[in-house]
């Protein structure tokens, strides 16, 4: 793992695996870390792609005491890593909250970006609005964060179990739960920021091809929200995973990789 100072002396950590194919940057979801991509990154490397896996602020092996954990700050970190490594037109793939981070990063990269993949991406909105009837409410988010403040272990266990369309085994649940438990408490504010973030104009302005990979049984980001997001994007393709909840890259891995690797050949 390498590190990069992004807020004073506070660091984010990342892995960089060289390759001759299209660079792919993998951005994890809320409160977990880059290990969630451990069944995806090897397949990308085997296909020859240059792969970067990072831990967002207050997650995994990145520092846990960042002051700013907003979507925009984390998107700036993704851009900083891309520029630090000199990546040539990277495709940024973000899961869940990482989808909002990835979208903001690609918008910042502009013509230097190669594309965007939204894996159960929580964009353009995570919560509903009068003109966006998709998702829960800000109060719902505060309820989860309040529960985590009172009982972090049990709350994150429940979040872990809600990821899947069909119950996962103990090994998988324990693996995901351990990632949640490694996050610092400041990570809560990143979900709080996501709850009020609106990226509709950002999505409308994207000039790169966008692939949306989304589970029809997603309990966190409803599938109709993904359909509405795709309708905003000038060059978008939405792929539905009928047997998946919030993590199609884990629940239907083989098909997920087929779609992802095919998209990277565009």
């Amino acid at each position: 793992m390498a590190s990069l100072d992004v807020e004073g002396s506070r660091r984010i950590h990342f892995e960089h695996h060289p390759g001759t194919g299209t660079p792919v940057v993998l951005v994890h979801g809320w409160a977990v870390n880059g290990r969630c991509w451990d069944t995806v990154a090897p397949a990308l490397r085997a296909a020859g792609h240059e792969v970067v896996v990072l831990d967002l602020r207050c997650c995994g092996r990145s520092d846990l005491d960042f002051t700013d954990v907003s979507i925009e700050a984390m998107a700036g970190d993704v851009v900083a890593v891309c520029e630090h490594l000199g990546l040539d037109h990277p495709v940024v793939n973000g899961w869940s909250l990482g989808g909002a981070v990835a979208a903001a990063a690609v918008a910042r990269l502009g013509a230097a970006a190669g594309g965007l993949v939204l894996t159960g991406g929580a964009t353009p909105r995570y919560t509903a609005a009068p003109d966006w009837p998709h998702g829960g409410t800000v109060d719902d988010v505060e309820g989860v964060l309040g529960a985590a403040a009172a009982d972090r272990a049990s709350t994150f266990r429940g979040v872990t179990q809600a990821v899947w369309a069909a119950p996962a085994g103990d090994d998988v649940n324990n693996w995901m739960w351990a990632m949640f438990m490694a996050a610092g408490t400041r990570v809560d504010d990143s979900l709080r920021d996501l709850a009020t973030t609106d990226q509709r104009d950002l999505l409308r302005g994207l000039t790169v091809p966008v692939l949306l990979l989304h589970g029809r049984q997603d309990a966190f980001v409803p599938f109709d929200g993904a359909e509405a997001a795709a309708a905003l994007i000038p060059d978008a393709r939405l792929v539905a995973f009928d047997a998946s909840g919030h993590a199609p890259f884990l629940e239907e891995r083989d098909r997920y990789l087929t779609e992802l690797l095919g998209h990277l050949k565009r």
Side-chain angles (χ1 to χ4, degrees), residues 1-14:
M1 291 280 282
S3 63
L4 190 67
D5 290 352
V6 293
E7 184 186 81
S9 61
R10 294 182 179 92
R11 296 180 171 186
I12 58 164
H13 286 253
F14 62 92

Side-chain angles (χ1 to χ4, degrees), residues 19-250:
T20 57
T22 302
V24 183
V25 181
L26 298 172
V27 184
H28 64 79
W30 176 63
V32 293
N33 56 62
R35 295 277 63 76
C36 73
W37 296 111
D38 277 356
T39 61
V40 174
L44 291 171
R45 295 198 311 270
H49 292 283
E50 184 176 9
V51 180
V52 176
V53 184
L54 55 84
D55 287 350
L56 295 174
R57 297 181 178 206
C58 300
C59 296
R61 284 175 282 186
S62 291
D63 288 342
L64 303 182
D65 59 347
F66 276 91
T67 300
D68 187 353
V69 292
S70 65
I71 301 300
E72 284 298 321
M74 292 187 289
D77 296 343
V78 174
V79 172
V81 170
C82 291
E83 293 175 344
H84 173 71
L85 295 173
L87 302 183
D88 182 12
H89 291 86
V91 172
V92 186
N93 182 353
W95 175 40
S96 191
L97 174 145
V101 174
V106 166
R108 286 198 192 192
L109 286 166
L116 172 65
V117 179
L118 298 172
T119 299
T123 181
R125 293 187 59 93
Y126 183 57
T127 56
D131 56 349
W132 185 263
H134 315 288
T137 68
V138 173
D139 286 345
D140 292 335
V141 172
E142 289 298 336
V144 171
L145 295 178
D151 182 353
R152 207 156 187 84
S154 297
T155 299
F156 280 146
R157 176 69 72 179
V159 171
T160 296
Q161 293 170 338
V163 166
W164 326 110
D170 288 344
D171 289 345
V172 174
N173 276 317
N174 289 338
W175 170 68
M176 183 70 70
W177 178 73
M179 284 189 270
F180 276 112
M181 293 306 297
T185 56
R186 290 302 304 273
V187 79
D188 294 14
D189 288 333
S190 64
L191 185 61
R192 188 169 280 119
D193 184 61
L194 179 69
T196 58
T197 292
D198 192 318
Q199 295 182 323
R200 281 178 281 184
D201 287 342
L202 184 153
L203 293 189
R204 292 186 185 102
L206 291 176
T207 59
V208 297
V210 180
L211 176 66
L212 299 91
L213 303 171
H214 212 99
R216 285 195 183 274
Q217 302 180 59
D218 194 324
F220 294 91
V221 182
F223 187 77
D224 58 6
E227 292 178 311
L232 296 174
I233 301 168
D235 181 1
R237 186 169 71 93
L238 172 62
V239 179
F241 289 80
D242 293 341
S244 290
H246 194 44
F249 64 105
L250 297 170

